[in-house]
Amino acid sequence: MSYCYLTTAELAERIKYDARTIRERLKDDVLLEGIHYIRPFGGRKILYLWEPIERDMQLHSKEESLGVPMAGGGVCHG
């Protein structure tokens, strides 16, 4: 399978997030190494894989829309 590889700046532009937010809040919490990004040749450079990121953004969005958020943090599936 062929992937579209993106730098942090390119990903930030594509998903309309600040590059710093991606590095500090999303990487290793939401975006996981080996699934959403790789380190080519074992180096420090990070390349994000667009297709898994796009898939998971859409999946999460669909999951969230199936219920009504509750004040205590839960979701009512009505």
Coordinates of all heavy atoms in Angstrom, one line a residue:
M1 N 0.8 -1.2 0.0 CA 0.0 0.0 0.0 C 0.9 1.2 0.0 O 1.9 1.3 0.7 CB -0.9 0.0 1.2 CG -1.8 1.2 1.3 SD -2.9 1.1 2.8 CE -4.2 2.1 2.2
S2 N 0.5 2.2 -0.7 CA 1.2 3.5 -0.8 C 0.6 4.5 0.1 O -0.6 4.7 0.2 CB 1.1 4.0 -2.3 OG 1.8 5.2 -2.4
Y3 N 1.5 5.2 0.9 CA 1.1 6.2 1.8 C 1.5 7.6 1.4 O 2.5 7.7 0.8 CB 1.6 5.9 3.2 CG 1.0 4.7 3.9 CD1 1.7 3.5 4.0 CD2 -0.2 4.8 4.5 CE1 1.1 2.4 4.6 CE2 -0.8 3.7 5.1 CZ -0.1 2.5 5.2 OH -0.7 1.5 5.9
C4 N 0.8 8.6 1.9 CA 1.2 10.0 1.7 C 1.9 10.3 3.0 O 1.3 10.3 4.1 CB -0.1 10.8 1.5 SG 0.3 12.6 1.4
Y5 N 3.2 10.6 2.9 CA 4.0 11.0 4.1 C 4.0 12.5 4.3 O 4.2 13.2 3.3 CB 5.4 10.5 3.9 CG 5.5 9.0 3.8 CD1 5.7 8.4 2.6 CD2 5.4 8.2 4.9 CE1 5.7 7.0 2.5 CE2 5.5 6.8 4.8 CZ 5.7 6.2 3.6 OH 5.7 4.9 3.5
L6 N 3.8 13.0 5.5 CA 3.7 14.4 5.8 C 4.6 14.7 7.0 O 4.7 14.0 7.9 CB 2.3 14.8 6.2 CG 1.2 14.5 5.2 CD1 -0.2 14.7 5.9 CD2 1.3 15.3 4.0
T7 N 5.3 15.9 6.9 CA 6.0 16.4 8.0 C 5.0 17.0 9.0 O 3.8 17.1 8.7 CB 7.0 17.5 7.6 OG1 6.2 18.6 7.1 CG2 7.9 17.1 6.5
T8 N 5.5 17.4 10.2 CA 4.6 17.9 11.2 C 3.9 19.2 10.7 O 2.7 19.4 10.8 CB 5.4 18.3 12.5 OG1 6.0 17.1 12.9 CG2 4.4 18.8 13.6
A9 N 4.7 20.1 10.0 CA 4.1 21.3 9.4 C 3.1 21.0 8.4 O 2.0 21.7 8.3 CB 5.3 22.2 8.9
E10 N 3.3 20.1 7.5 CA 2.4 19.7 6.5 C 1.1 19.1 7.1 O 0.0 19.5 6.6 CB 3.0 18.7 5.5 CG 4.1 19.3 4.6 CD 4.9 18.3 3.9 OE1 5.0 17.1 4.3 OE2 5.5 18.7 2.8
L11 N 1.2 18.3 8.1 CA 0.0 17.7 8.8 C -0.7 18.9 9.4 O -2.0 18.9 9.3 CB 0.4 16.7 9.8 CG -0.7 16.1 10.6 CD1 -1.7 15.3 9.6 CD2 -0.2 15.1 11.6
A12 N 0.0 19.8 10.1 CA -0.7 20.9 10.8 C -1.5 21.7 9.8 O -2.7 22.1 10.1 CB 0.3 21.8 11.5
E13 N -1.0 22.0 8.6 CA -1.7 22.7 7.6 C -2.9 22.0 7.1 O -4.0 22.5 6.9 CB -0.8 23.0 6.4 CG -1.4 23.9 5.4 CD -0.4 24.2 4.3 OE1 0.8 24.5 4.6 OE2 -0.8 24.2 3.1
R14 N -2.8 20.7 7.0 CA -3.9 19.9 6.4 C -5.0 19.7 7.4 O -6.2 19.7 7.0 CB -3.3 18.5 6.0 CG -4.3 17.7 5.2 CD -3.7 16.5 4.6 NE -2.9 16.7 3.4 CZ -2.6 15.8 2.5 NH1 -3.0 14.6 2.6 NH2 -1.8 16.2 1.5
I15 N -4.7 19.5 8.7 CA -5.8 19.3 9.7 C -6.2 20.6 10.5 O -7.0 20.6 11.4 CB -5.5 18.2 10.6 CG1 -4.3 18.4 11.5 CG2 -5.4 16.9 9.8 CD1 -4.1 17.4 12.6
K16 N -5.5 21.7 10.1 CA -5.8 23.0 10.7 C -5.5 23.0 12.3 O -6.3 23.5 13.0 CB -7.2 23.4 10.5 CG -7.6 23.4 9.0 CD -6.8 24.3 8.2 CE -7.3 24.3 6.7 NZ -6.3 24.0 5.7
Y17 N -4.4 22.4 12.6 CA -3.9 22.4 14.0 C -2.6 23.1 14.0 O -1.9 23.0 13.0 CB -3.8 21.0 14.6 CG -5.0 20.4 15.2 CD1 -6.0 20.0 14.5 CD2 -5.0 20.2 16.6 CE1 -7.2 19.4 15.0 CE2 -6.1 19.7 17.2 CZ -7.2 19.3 16.4 OH -8.3 18.7 17.0
D18 N -2.2 23.6 15.1 CA -0.8 24.2 15.2 C 0.2 23.0 15.3 O -0.1 22.0 16.0 CB -0.8 25.1 16.5 CG 0.5 25.8 16.6 OD1 0.7 26.9 15.9 OD2 1.4 25.4 17.3
A19 N 1.3 23.2 14.7 CA 2.4 22.1 14.7 C 2.8 21.8 16.1 O 3.0 20.7 16.5 CB 3.6 22.6 13.9
R20 N 2.8 22.8 17.0 CA 3.2 22.6 18.4 C 2.2 21.7 19.1 O 2.5 20.9 19.9 CB 3.3 24.0 19.1 CG 3.8 23.9 20.5 CD 4.1 25.2 21.0 NE 4.4 25.2 22.4 CZ 4.7 26.2 23.2 NH1 4.7 27.4 22.7 NH2 4.9 26.0 24.4
T21 N 0.9 21.9 18.8 CA -0.2 21.1 19.4 C 0.0 19.6 19.0 O -0.1 18.7 19.8 CB -1.5 21.6 19.0 OG1 -1.7 22.9 19.4 CG2 -2.7 20.7 19.5
I22 N 0.4 19.4 17.7 CA 0.6 18.1 17.2 C 1.7 17.4 18.0 O 1.6 16.3 18.5 CB 0.8 18.1 15.7 CG1 -0.5 18.5 15.0 CG2 1.3 16.7 15.2 CD1 -0.3 18.7 13.5
R23 N 2.8 18.1 18.1 CA 4.0 17.6 18.8 C 3.8 17.4 20.3 O 4.3 16.4 20.8 CB 5.2 18.5 18.6 CG 5.9 18.5 17.2 CD 7.2 19.2 17.2 NE 7.1 20.6 17.6 CZ 6.8 21.6 16.8 NH1 6.6 21.4 15.5 NH2 6.7 22.9 17.2
E24 N 3.1 18.3 20.9 CA 3.0 18.2 22.4 C 1.8 17.5 22.9 O 1.8 17.0 24.0 CB 3.1 19.6 23.0 CG 4.4 20.3 22.7 CD 4.5 21.7 23.3 OE1 3.5 22.2 23.9 OE2 5.6 22.3 23.1
R25 N 0.7 17.5 22.2 CA -0.6 17.0 22.7 C -1.1 15.8 22.0 O -1.7 14.9 22.6 CB -1.6 18.1 22.7 CG -1.2 19.3 23.6 CD -2.3 20.3 23.7 NE -3.0 19.9 24.9 CZ -4.3 20.2 25.1 NH1 -4.9 20.9 24.2 NH2 -4.9 19.8 26.1
L26 N -0.9 15.7 20.7 CA -1.5 14.6 19.9 C -0.5 13.5 19.7 O -0.9 12.3 19.8 CB -1.9 15.1 18.5 CG -3.0 16.2 18.5 CD1 -3.4 16.6 17.1 CD2 -4.2 15.7 19.3
K27 N 0.8 13.8 19.5 CA 1.8 12.7 19.3 C 1.9 11.8 20.5 O 2.1 12.4 21.6 CB 3.1 13.3 18.9 CG 4.1 12.2 18.4 CD 5.4 12.9 17.9 CE 6.4 13.1 19.0 NZ 6.8 12.0 19.8
D28 N 1.8 10.5 20.4 CA 1.9 9.5 21.4 C 0.7 9.5 22.3 O 0.7 8.7 23.3 CB 3.2 9.7 22.2 CG 4.5 9.5 21.4 OD1 4.4 8.7 20.5 OD2 5.5 10.2 21.6
D29 N -0.3 10.3 22.1 CA -1.5 10.3 22.9 C -2.6 9.8 22.0 O -3.3 8.8 22.2 CB -1.8 11.6 23.5 CG -3.0 11.5 24.4 OD1 -3.3 10.5 25.0 OD2 -3.8 12.5 24.6
V30 N -2.8 10.5 20.8 CA -3.8 10.2 19.8 C -3.1 9.6 18.6 O -3.6 8.6 18.0 CB -4.6 11.5 19.4 CG1 -5.5 11.2 18.3 CG2 -5.3 12.0 20.7
L31 N -2.0 10.2 18.2 CA -1.2 9.7 17.0 C -0.1 8.8 17.5 O 0.8 9.2 18.3 CB -0.6 10.9 16.3 CG -1.7 11.9 15.8 CD1 -1.0 13.1 15.2 CD2 -2.6 11.3 14.8
L32 N -0.2 7.5 17.1 CA 0.7 6.5 17.7 C 1.8 6.1 16.7 O 1.5 5.9 15.5 CB -0.1 5.3 18.1 CG -1.3 5.6 19.0 CD1 -2.1 4.3 19.2 CD2 -0.8 6.1 20.4
E33 N 3.0 5.9 17.2 CA 4.1 5.4 16.4 C 3.8 4.0 15.8 O 3.3 3.2 16.5 CB 5.4 5.4 17.1 CG 6.6 5.1 16.3 CD 7.9 5.4 17.0 OE1 7.9 5.7 18.2 OE2 9.0 5.3 16.3
G34 N 4.1 3.9 14.5 CA 3.8 2.6 13.8 C 2.4 2.6 13.2 O 2.2 1.7 12.4
I35 N 1.5 3.4 13.7 CA 0.2 3.5 13.1 C 0.0 4.8 12.3 O -0.4 4.8 11.2 CB -0.9 3.3 14.2 CG1 -0.8 2.0 14.9 CG2 -2.3 3.5 13.6 CD1 -1.7 1.8 16.1
H36 N 0.2 5.9 13.0 CA 0.0 7.2 12.5 C 1.3 7.9 12.0 O 1.2 8.9 11.3 CB -0.7 8.1 13.5 CG -2.0 7.5 13.9 ND1 -2.2 7.0 15.2 CD2 -3.2 7.4 13.2 CE1 -3.5 6.6 15.2 NE2 -4.1 6.8 14.1
Y37 N 2.4 7.5 12.6 CA 3.7 8.1 12.1 C 4.8 7.1 12.2 O 4.7 6.0 12.9 CB 4.0 9.3 12.9 CG 4.4 9.1 14.4 CD1 5.7 9.0 14.7 CD2 3.5 9.2 15.4 CE1 6.1 8.8 16.0 CE2 3.8 9.0 16.7 CZ 5.2 8.8 17.0 OH 5.5 8.7 18.3
I38 N 5.9 7.3 11.5 CA 7.1 6.5 11.5 C 8.3 7.4 11.7 O 8.2 8.6 11.5 CB 7.2 5.7 10.2 CG1 7.3 6.6 9.0 CG2 6.0 4.7 10.1 CD1 7.7 5.9 7.7
R39 N 9.4 6.7 12.1 CA 10.7 7.4 12.1 C 11.6 6.7 11.1 O 12.1 5.6 11.4 CB 11.3 7.3 13.5 CG 10.5 8.0 14.6 CD 11.1 7.7 15.9 NE 10.3 8.2 17.0 CZ 10.4 9.5 17.5 NH1 11.3 10.3 17.1 NH2 9.6 9.8 18.5
P40 N 11.7 7.2 9.9 CA 12.4 6.5 8.8 C 13.8 6.2 9.2 O 14.5 7.1 9.8 CB 12.3 7.4 7.6 CG 11.3 8.4 7.9 CD 11.1 8.5 9.4
F41 N 14.3 5.0 8.9 CA 15.7 4.6 9.1 C 16.1 4.7 10.6 O 17.3 4.9 10.9 CB 16.6 5.4 8.2 CG 16.1 5.4 6.8 CD1 15.7 6.5 6.2 CD2 16.1 4.2 6.0 CE1 15.2 6.5 4.9 CE2 15.7 4.2 4.7 CZ 15.2 5.4 4.2
G42 N 15.1 4.7 11.5 CA 15.5 4.8 13.0 C 16.0 6.1 13.4 O 16.5 6.3 14.5
G43 N 15.8 7.2 12.6 CA 16.3 8.5 13.0 C 15.3 9.3 13.8 O 14.3 8.8 14.4
R44 N 15.6 10.6 14.0 CA 14.8 11.5 14.8 C 13.6 12.1 14.0 O 12.6 12.5 14.6 CB 15.6 12.6 15.3 CG 16.7 12.1 16.3 CD 17.4 13.2 17.0 NE 16.5 14.2 17.5 CZ 16.8 15.3 18.1 NH1 18.1 15.6 18.3 NH2 16.0 16.1 18.6
K45 N 13.8 12.1 12.7 CA 12.7 12.7 11.8 C 11.5 11.9 11.9 O 11.5 10.7 11.9 CB 13.3 12.7 10.4 CG 12.3 13.2 9.4 CD 12.5 14.7 9.1 CE 11.7 15.2 8.0 NZ 11.6 16.6 8.0
I46 N 10.3 12.6 12.0 CA 9.0 12.0 12.1 C 8.3 12.3 10.8 O 8.2 13.4 10.4 CB 8.2 12.5 13.3 CG1 8.9 12.0 14.6 CG2 6.8 12.0 13.2 CD1 8.3 12.5 15.8
L47 N 7.7 11.2 10.2 CA 6.8 11.4 9.0 C 5.5 10.8 9.4 O 5.4 9.7 9.9 CB 7.4 10.7 7.8 CG 8.6 11.3 7.2 CD1 9.1 10.5 6.1 CD2 8.4 12.8 6.8
Y48 N 4.4 11.6 9.2 CA 3.0 11.2 9.5 C 2.4 10.5 8.3 O 2.7 10.9 7.2 CB 2.2 12.4 10.0 CG 2.7 12.9 11.3 CD1 3.6 13.9 11.4 CD2 2.2 12.4 12.5 CE1 4.1 14.4 12.6 CE2 2.6 12.8 13.7 CZ 3.5 13.8 13.8 OH 4.0 14.3 15.0
L49 N 1.6 9.5 8.5 CA 1.0 8.8 7.5 C -0.5 9.3 7.4 O -1.3 9.1 8.3 CB 0.9 7.3 7.8 CG 2.3 6.6 8.2 CD1 2.1 5.2 8.7 CD2 3.2 6.7 6.9
W50 N -0.8 10.0 6.3 CA -2.0 10.6 6.1 C -3.2 9.7 6.2 O -4.2 10.0 6.8 CB -2.1 11.5 4.9 CG -3.4 12.1 4.6 CD1 -4.3 11.8 3.6 CD2 -4.1 13.0 5.5 NE1 -5.4 12.5 3.7 CE2 -5.3 13.2 4.9 CE3 -3.8 13.6 6.7 CZ2 -6.3 14.1 5.5 CZ3 -4.7 14.4 7.3 CH2 -6.0 14.7 6.7
E51 N -3.2 8.6 5.5 CA -4.4 7.7 5.3 C -4.9 7.2 6.7 O -6.1 7.3 7.0 CB -4.1 6.6 4.4 CG -4.0 7.0 2.9 CD -2.6 7.7 2.6 OE1 -1.7 7.7 3.4 OE2 -2.5 8.2 1.5
P52 N -4.0 6.7 7.6 CA -4.5 6.2 8.9 C -5.0 7.4 9.8 O -6.0 7.2 10.5 CB -3.3 5.6 9.5 CG -2.4 5.3 8.5 CD -2.6 6.3 7.4
I53 N -4.4 8.5 9.6 CA -4.9 9.7 10.4 C -6.2 10.1 9.9 O -7.2 10.3 10.8 CB -3.9 10.9 10.3 CG1 -2.6 10.5 11.0 CG2 -4.4 12.2 10.9 CD1 -1.4 11.5 10.8
E54 N -6.4 10.2 8.6 CA -7.7 10.6 8.1 C -8.8 9.6 8.5 O -9.9 10.0 8.9 CB -7.6 10.7 6.6 CG -8.9 11.2 5.9 CD -8.8 11.4 4.4 OE1 -8.1 10.5 3.8 OE2 -9.3 12.4 3.9
R55 N -8.5 8.3 8.4 CA -9.4 7.2 8.7 C -9.9 7.4 10.2 O -11.0 7.3 10.5 CB -8.8 5.9 8.5 CG -9.6 4.7 8.9 CD -8.9 3.4 9.0 NE -7.9 3.5 10.2 CZ -6.7 3.1 10.2 NH1 -6.2 2.5 9.2 NH2 -6.0 3.2 11.3
D56 N -8.9 7.5 11.1 CA -9.2 7.6 12.5 C -9.9 8.9 12.9 O -10.7 8.8 13.8 CB -7.9 7.4 13.3 CG -7.4 5.9 13.3 OD1 -8.1 5.1 12.7 OD2 -6.3 5.7 13.8
M57 N -9.6 10.0 12.2 CA -10.4 11.2 12.5 C -11.8 11.0 12.2 O -12.7 11.4 12.9 CB -9.8 12.4 11.7 CG -8.5 12.9 12.3 SD -8.0 14.5 11.5 CE -8.3 14.3 9.8
Q58 N -12.1 10.4 11.0 CA -13.5 10.1 10.6 C -14.2 9.1 11.5 O -15.3 9.3 11.9 CB -13.5 9.7 9.2 CG -13.2 10.8 8.2 CD -13.0 10.3 6.8 OE1 -13.1 9.1 6.5 NE2 -12.8 11.2 5.9
L59 N -13.5 8.1 11.9 CA -14.0 7.1 12.8 C -14.4 7.7 14.1 O -15.5 7.4 14.6 CB -13.0 6.0 13.0 CG -13.1 4.6 12.3 CD1 -11.9 3.8 12.6 CD2 -14.4 4.0 12.7
H60 N -13.5 8.4 14.7 CA -13.8 9.1 16.0 C -15.0 10.0 15.9 O -15.8 10.1 16.8 CB -12.6 9.8 16.5 CG -12.8 10.3 17.9 ND1 -12.9 9.5 19.0 CD2 -12.9 11.6 18.4 CE1 -13.1 10.3 20.1 NE2 -13.1 11.5 19.7
S61 N -15.1 10.8 14.8 CA -16.1 11.7 14.6 C -17.5 11.0 14.5 O -18.5 11.4 15.1 CB -15.9 12.5 13.3 OG -16.9 13.4 13.1
K62 N -17.5 9.8 13.9 CA -18.8 9.1 13.8 C -19.2 8.5 15.1 O -20.3 8.5 15.5 CB -18.6 7.9 12.7 CG -18.5 8.4 11.3 CD -18.3 7.3 10.4 CE -18.1 7.8 9.0 NZ -17.7 6.7 8.0
E63 N -18.2 8.0 15.9 CA -18.5 7.4 17.2 C -19.1 8.5 18.1 O -20.0 8.2 18.9 CB -17.2 6.9 17.8 CG -16.7 5.6 17.2 CD -15.4 5.2 17.7 OE1 -14.8 5.8 18.7 OE2 -14.8 4.2 17.2
E64 N -18.5 9.7 18.1 CA -19.0 10.8 18.9 C -20.4 11.2 18.6 O -21.1 11.7 19.4 CB -18.0 12.0 18.9 CG -16.7 11.7 19.5 CD -16.7 11.5 21.0 OE1 -17.5 12.2 21.7 OE2 -16.0 10.6 21.5
S65 N -20.8 11.1 17.3 CA -22.1 11.6 16.9 C -23.2 10.6 17.2 O -24.4 10.9 17.1 CB -22.1 11.9 15.4 OG -21.9 10.7 14.7
L66 N -22.9 9.4 17.8 CA -23.9 8.4 18.0 C -24.6 8.6 19.4 O -25.5 7.9 19.7 CB -23.3 7.0 18.0 CG -22.8 6.6 16.6 CD1 -22.1 5.2 16.7 CD2 -23.9 6.6 15.6
G67 N -24.1 9.5 20.2 CA -24.7 9.7 21.5 C -24.8 11.1 21.9 O -24.3 12.0 21.2
V68 N -25.5 11.4 23.0 CA -25.7 12.7 23.6 C -24.7 12.9 24.7 O -24.8 12.1 25.7 CB -27.1 12.9 24.0 CG1 -27.3 14.3 24.7 CG2 -28.1 12.7 22.9
P69 N -23.8 13.9 24.7 CA -22.9 14.1 25.8 C -23.6 14.4 27.1 O -24.6 15.2 27.1 CB -22.0 15.2 25.4 CG -22.5 15.6 24.1 CD -23.7 14.8 23.7
M70 N -23.2 13.8 28.2 CA -23.8 14.1 29.5 C -22.8 15.0 30.4 O -21.6 15.0 30.1 CB -24.0 12.7 30.3 CG -24.8 11.7 29.5 SD -26.5 12.3 29.1 CE -27.2 12.1 30.7
A71 N -23.4 15.6 31.3 CA -22.6 16.6 32.2 C -21.5 15.9 32.9 O -20.4 16.5 33.1 CB -23.6 17.2 33.2
G72 N -21.6 14.7 33.3 CA -20.6 14.0 34.0 C -19.5 13.4 33.2 O -18.6 12.7 33.6
G73 N -19.5 13.6 31.8 CA -18.5 13.2 31.0 C -18.9 11.9 30.2 O -18.2 11.5 29.2
G74 N -20.0 11.3 30.5 CA -20.5 10.1 29.8 C -21.2 10.5 28.5 O -21.4 11.7 28.2
V75 N -21.8 9.5 27.9 CA -22.6 9.7 26.7 C -23.8 8.8 26.8 O -23.8 7.7 27.1 CB -21.8 9.2 25.4 CG1 -22.6 9.3 24.2 CG2 -20.5 10.0 25.3
C76 N -25.0 9.4 26.4 CA -26.2 8.7 26.4 C -26.5 8.3 25.0 O -26.5 9.0 24.1 CB -27.4 9.7 26.9 SG -29.0 8.9 26.8
H77 N -26.7 7.0 24.8 CA -26.9 6.4 23.5 C -28.4 6.1 23.3 O -28.8 5.3 22.4 CB -26.1 5.1 23.4 CG -24.7 5.3 23.5 ND1 -23.9 5.8 22.4 CD2 -23.8 5.1 24.5 CE1 -22.7 5.9 22.8 NE2 -22.5 5.5 24.0
G78 N -29.3 6.8 23.9 CA -30.7 7.0 23.8 C -31.6 6.0 23.4 O -32.5 5.7 23.1

